[in-house]
């Protein structure tokens, strides 16, 4: 049996669903999403959900900034509560990273982003009990915070279906189909074919294997991310999300008052097989987190580790996404989100839909060419002009 679609989207994660909704919302029809398991069961389900605009690459910062009002007004736009908590976002750096911090904040302010340098006293007020004396500089975004990637993806899915998008779950794609030098759709694991004018590959860390079936090499690796949950002995009051670039970790308050701790030290990345990995943090990482937390939050009443899990960032060589046409006509890539994909997901949907429907985008301060597939072969990766020592993810 052969089905057809104008737009075939492979991957029912946050990005594929944001793209499907954005296409439909701009008036496109005949959109089909194929998901091998259940919606948002891939890495979206592992997301920490941090919303910040603190990036060194202006296009990425601009995509985050464009997405903030979307999160703020999601109930009106998508008709669903996304669980967004606007608790603010702070990034603190040691003396070695003070100059990059100032340069990045100046760039972000020039884009219109609401961010300011704040003092140690201000930070201590925002987070009572937080050790701040080794932060040589702190930037604060009052409109940052924390969302729920699963809820966001499902809200995109619900709204997209309302607009007529077809979503099929438990439908693994086995390979891309090519004919006369272009991708013409996909063959499913059960042998059925779907033919499409445009195929969008948004399969997270599974993208390279699928792209390879059309002889398209995609430079995306699955980088291990270990997350630790801490109960500090009493519920944490609402505090901002903190990127602690002095200790190279980030802290988020969970809705139940626990702390979620993630790693920001990418000096020695580890990679995993996204279909076969141990879903808990290793003892050495737990020890490291405890040591760093003892330093950062020295007055926790009775701290204990309550859990841990592991996810995979789909990282590119420059830690920025690939969003654009593949070198084979008919195929469009939206992958390699490198740990940034939640906060920019509304803009990703908009950008991809704009490019597919109009060949250009009006997203302010976003240069679509920054995310082009070819940049690695051209030796022109998208790098921050002011990178932070040690913190690859923050680039
Ligand atoms: C641990 C962790 C923490 C993160 N924290 C943050 C954060 O704080 N802030 C932020 O902005 N971003 C964060 N991110 C990044 C963000 O969550 C991701 O970029 C985003 O959720 C990825 O969405 P996706 O749709 O690209 O990929 P996925 O959610 O992985 O979706 C891809 C989908 O493709 C499907 N698929 C795979 N192969 C096939 C096939 N053959 N056929 C059909 N379907 C297939 C999979 O089942 C999956 O559902 C984090 C990511 C991780 C892993």
């Amino acid at each position: 049996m052969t089905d057809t679609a104008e737009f075939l989207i492979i991957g029912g994660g946050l990005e594929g669903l944001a793209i499907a909704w954005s296409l439909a919302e701009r008036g496109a029809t005949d959109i089909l999403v194929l998901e091998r398991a259940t919606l948002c069961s891939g890495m979206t389900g592992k997301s920490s959900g941090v919303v910040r605009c603190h990036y060194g690459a202006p296009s990425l910062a601009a995509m985050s900034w464009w997405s903030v009002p979307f999160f703020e007004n999601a109930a009106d736009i998508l008709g669903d509560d996304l669980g967004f908590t606007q608790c603010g976002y702070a990034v603190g750096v040691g003396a070695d990273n003070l100059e990059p911090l100032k340069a990045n904040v100046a760039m972000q302010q020039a884009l219109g982003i609401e961010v300011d340098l704040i003092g140690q006293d201000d930070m201590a007020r925002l987070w009572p009990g937080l050790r701040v004396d080794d932060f040589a500089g702190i930037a604060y975004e009052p409109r940052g915070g924390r969302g729920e990637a699963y809820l966001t993806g499902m809200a995109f899915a619900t709204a997209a279906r309302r607009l007529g998008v077809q979503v099929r779950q438990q439908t693994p794609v086995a390979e891309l189909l090519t004919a006369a030098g272009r991708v013409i759709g996909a063959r499913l694991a059960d042998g059925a074919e779907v033919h499409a004018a445009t195929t969008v590959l948004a399969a997270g860390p599974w993208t390279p294997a699928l792209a390879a079936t059309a002889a398209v090499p995609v430079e995306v690796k699955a980088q291990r991310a270990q997350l630790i949950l801490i109960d500090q002995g009493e519920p944490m009051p609402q505090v901002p999300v903190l990127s602690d670039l002095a200790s190279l970790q980030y802290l988020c308050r969970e809705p139940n008052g626990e702390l979620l701790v993630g790693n920001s030290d990418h000096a020695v990345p580890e990679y995993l097989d996204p279909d076969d990995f141990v879903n808990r943090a290793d003892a050495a990482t737990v020890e490291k987190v405890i040591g760093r937390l003892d330093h950062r939050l020295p007055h926790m009443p009775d701290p204990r580790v309550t859990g841990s899990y592991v996810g995979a960032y789909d990282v590119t060589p420059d830690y920025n996404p690939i969003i654009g046409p593949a070198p084979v006509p008919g195929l469009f890539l939206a992958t390699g989100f490198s740990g940034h994909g939640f906060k920019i997901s509304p803009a990703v949907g908009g950008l991809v839909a704009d490019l597919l429907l109009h060949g250009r985008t009006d997203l302010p301060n976003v240069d679509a060419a920054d995310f082009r597939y070819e940049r690695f072969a051209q030796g022109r990766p998208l790098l921050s002009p002011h990178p932070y020592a040690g913190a690859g993810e923050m680039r």
Side-chain angles (χ1 to χ4, degrees):
M1 189 184 102
T2 302
D3 274 340
T4 60
E6 185 65 22
F7 296 100
L8 170 62
I9 298 171
I10 302 175
L14 178 57
E15 311 302 339
L17 295 166
I19 292 165
W21 176 79
S22 302
L23 280 166
E25 194 260 342
R26 282 161 172 73
T29 54
D30 200 12
I31 303 160
L32 173 63
V33 179
L34 298 180
E35 165 55 46
R36 69 172 187 170
T38 50
L39 296 180
C40 300
S41 60
M43 293 310 158
T44 295
K46 298 291 179 85
S47 186
S48 304
V50 174
V51 173
R52 61 170 159 108
C53 301
H54 198 88
Y55 282 106
S59 286
L60 204 60
M63 285 175 75
S64 290
W65 182 233
W66 188 87
S67 301
V68 167
F70 191 99
F71 288 118
E72 291 170 339
N73 299 299
D76 294 334
I77 301 169
L78 294 180
D80 245 324
D81 172 19
L82 308 184
F84 177 54
T85 304
Q86 201 156 39
C87 53
Y89 167 82
V91 48
V93 301
D96 55 338
N97 277 323
L98 181 57
E99 288 314 311
L101 181 81
K102 288 181 179 169
N104 284 325
V105 167
M107 178 276 289
Q108 292 152 16
Q109 288 172 335
L111 294 177
I113 293 168
E114 283 175 39
V115 55
D116 270 312
L117 293 169
I118 62 170
Q120 291 177 348
D121 291 353
D122 301 315
M123 190 67 224
R125 268 192 295 276
L126 287 166
W127 191 325
L130 188 79
R131 180 171 185 170
V132 293
D133 59 359
D134 58 341
F135 285 146
I138 303 163
Y140 182 62
E141 295 174 30
R143 288 173 71 185
R146 184 139 193 245
E148 296 287 347
Y150 177 82
L151 290 182
T152 305
M154 295 309 286
F156 275 123
T158 305
R161 283 163 151 158
R162 227 181 274 130
L163 294 175
V165 171
Q166 300 292 316
V167 177
R168 282 193 217 150
Q169 305 185 71
Q170 305 296 350
T171 308
V173 168
E175 61 178 339
L176 299 175
L177 289 171
T178 52
R182 63 178 289 128
V183 168
I184 58 157
R187 178 176 290 110
L188 311 184
D190 66 5
E193 294 186 359
V194 178
H195 290 186
T198 300
T199 300
V200 178
L201 199 42
W206 295 273
T207 300
L210 281 168
T213 64
V216 174
V218 173
E219 288 196 61
V220 165
K221 292 196 232 175
Q223 183 176 321
R224 184 171 182 233
Q226 303 184 62
L227 287 303
I228 321 281
L229 288 153
I230 307 278
D231 174 358
Q232 63 155 3
E234 62 187 35
M236 176 79 66
Q238 187 61 69
V239 290
V241 174
L242 173 67
S243 286
D244 173 358
L245 292 192
S247 305
L248 291 177
Q249 63 186 8
Y250 67 87
L251 313 180
C252 313
R253 178 190 182 276
E254 289 282 276
N256 67 352
E258 292 187 6
L259 260 189
L260 177 69
V261 187
N263 175 41
S264 302
D265 182 351
H266 302 287
V268 187
E270 296 173 291
Y271 303 102
L272 53 69
D273 175 348
D275 289 313
D276 184 14
F277 61 90
V278 177
N279 192 20
R280 64 174 178 277
D282 57 48
T285 300
V286 173
E287 277 304 303
K288 194 164 66 177
V289 164
I290 289 172
R292 289 171 172 178
L293 267 190
D294 274 347
H295 169 80
R296 186 59 63 210
L297 289 166
H299 308 299
M300 288 189 289
D302 184 19
R304 67 191 173 99
V305 174
T306 58
S308 74
Y309 53 93
V310 166
Y313 298 134
D314 50 337
V315 300
T316 64
D318 62 12
Y319 280 84
N320 283 306
I322 299 169
I323 304 170
V328 179
L331 182 64
F332 193 99
L333 298 168
T335 187
F337 288 95
S338 305
H340 320 314
F342 173 66
K343 62 185 75 66
I344 61 171
S345 57
V348 169
L351 175 61
V352 173
D354 282 349
L355 293 176
L356 289 177
L357 296 173
H358 311 299
R360 53 182 292 279
T361 185
D362 291 330
L363 287 184
N365 301 308
V366 176
D367 182 355
D370 281 352
F371 303 111
R372 70 194 180 284
Y373 169 89
E374 294 79 12
R375 67 184 188 270
F376 305 114
Q378 293 166 343
R380 294 174 59 203
L382 177 58
L383 298 176
S384 166
H386 307 287
Y388 291 109
E393 197 185 353
M394 296 296 291
R395 278 181 245 184

